[in-house]
Amino acid sequence: MADGRASVRSIFFGTSSVHVTDGMSGILVDGFFSRPSLLRIALGRPIAPDGGRIRDALSRGGIESLDALFVAHSHYDHVMDSPEIVKGVGGVLFGSKSTVNVGRGAGLGEQEMRHISDGDKYAFGDFTVQVLEGVHSPGDRYPGSIDEPLVPPAKASAYRTGSCYSFLVGHPTGTVLVHPSANFVPNKFHGLDVDVLYLGIGALGVQSAQFQDDYWHHTVEAARPDLIIPVHWDDFGRSLSKNLRPMPRILDNFAKTKKLLERKSAESGIPVRFQEPYEAITLFS
């Protein structure tokens, strides 16, 4: 960079798992690498972190250490692997009271976890992370909270939402907003003016046209990004060792969402870029 600071890179791991690093400090949002099959989930069978898949993803993504792991909400596809990742590469687990109870059930010590609230701001080296509380996308399958330590294996339905967050990651070289859930709080992001927006689009294709327009207005138009990278669009019951594919049509309409993004991108002039798993990109070039 012109000022001599290290460039900031990101790596995407499917779902809404995003690693951001400047080579000195590292932050992970929603580390979820086990990805048990959707059939197993549908049959109500217990699930648990897969140590082999977690280690493989960390290795392939080049994550040897972490400063922090921020969890957007406490569904299994966001939180289940998080305590094991902290055990493996260090850092502190940040999340709702429900997320902290997942950490407790996995054996994390209280000093390895932090309960977060709307507006909280944390610093890690040259990074800052601001917590922005929001709402889950429409059709939340597992609402409620986790009120006692959750010990795996457990059914997916035990991983209840808890509070829902987005994370504004700042750095001297730029700003990135990670927004995992395809819903909005009116005016929450007004005036943020970010460089990169990781935009949750899960189940957006089955919402009404009015909801889609309102979502774009209160996220993209409010945050004014230079680049949009969609997240939470892929079939998270499919191993990361295989190519990503959209969620099954019974759960979402990815083709409709893709057309929406193409149209909105053309109208606004904001490019949309799908990031491949394990692909490292420079965020603020």
Side-chain angles (χ1 to χ4, degrees):
M1 308 300 289
D3 61 4
R5 291 189 175 96
S7 62
V8 175
R9 300 189 314 152
S10 74
I11 295 179
F12 177 55
F13 295 88
T15 318
S16 52
S17 299
V18 179
H19 180 238
V20 181
T21 181
D22 63 359
M24 299 295 292
S25 305
I27 297 160
L28 182 64
V29 173
D30 286 353
F32 175 63
F33 309 141
S34 295
R35 297 166 69 98
S37 74
L38 296 183
L39 177 60
R40 185 175 188 87
I41 302 303
L43 293 174
R45 294 176 179 170
I47 55 175
D50 184 318
R53 288 188 173 187
I54 293 171
R55 289 188 294 272
D56 181 65
L58 291 170
S59 176
R60 290 184 63 184
I63 302 177
E64 297 180 350
S65 64
L66 282 177
D67 291 275
L69 198 167
F70 284 86
V71 177
H73 60 268
S74 298
H75 288 166
Y76 77 94
D77 54 316
H78 299 258
V79 75
M80 184 177 76
D81 292 345
S82 298
E84 300 306 317
I85 293 170
V86 169
K87 289 178 187 178
V89 295
V92 175
L93 178 67
F94 291 82
S96 67
K97 292 180 180 179
S98 294
T99 288
V100 169
N101 271 324
V102 174
R104 288 179 178 131
L108 286 184
E110 296 299 316
Q111 75 282 1
E112 298 174 285
M113 302 180 291
R114 299 286 188 278
H115 169 225
I116 61 177
S117 299
D118 185 38
D120 286 355
K121 196 168 186 178
Y122 302 92
F124 312 95
D126 282 339
F127 285 107
T128 59
V129 179
Q130 184 176 349
V131 178
L132 300 169
E133 188 166 2
V135 289
H136 193 273
S137 55
D140 187 347
R141 292 174 179 269
Y142 308 127
S145 59
I146 303 170
D147 299 321
E148 58 185 23
L150 178 59
V151 180
K155 293 182 179 181
S157 58
Y159 289 90
R160 300 195 173 274
T161 314
S163 298
C164 194
Y165 305 104
S166 300
F167 303 107
L168 181 66
V169 182
H171 191 268
T173 57
T175 306
V176 56
L177 175 62
V178 183
H179 179 63
S181 293
N183 209 337
F184 60 91
V185 174
N187 304 314
K188 187 73 175 182
F189 298 159
H190 180 71
L192 287 186
D193 197 15
V194 305
D195 293 286
V196 179
L197 171 60
Y198 277 93
L199 181 68
I201 60 171
L204 188 59
V206 295
Q207 308 305 324
S208 68
Q210 183 63 60
F211 180 92
Q212 292 170 350
D213 286 342
D214 290 344
Y215 182 58
W216 183 270
H217 174 69
H218 287 288
T219 55
V220 178
E221 292 179 1
R224 299 182 291 176
D226 296 323
L227 174 66
I228 297 168
I229 302 177
V231 294
H232 219 326
W233 58 269
D234 60 297
D235 179 351
F236 50 83
R238 182 177 170 88
S239 170
L240 281 173
S241 65
K242 303 176 181 179
N243 292 333
L244 297 187
R245 67 183 181 191
M247 288 292 289
R249 180 63 183 83
I250 193 173
L251 299 175
D252 198 2
N253 188 338
F254 177 75
K256 184 177 179 180
T257 301
K258 194 167 184 292
K259 289 181 180 178
L260 170 72
L261 292 175
E262 290 170 350
R263 175 171 59 84
K264 292 288 191 181
S265 175
E267 292 171 354
S268 65
I270 304 172
V272 175
R273 183 196 197 285
F274 281 84
Q275 190 173 1
E276 296 295 327
Y278 302 114
E279 178 190 7
I281 63 173
T282 301
L283 289 178
F284 315 127
S285 58

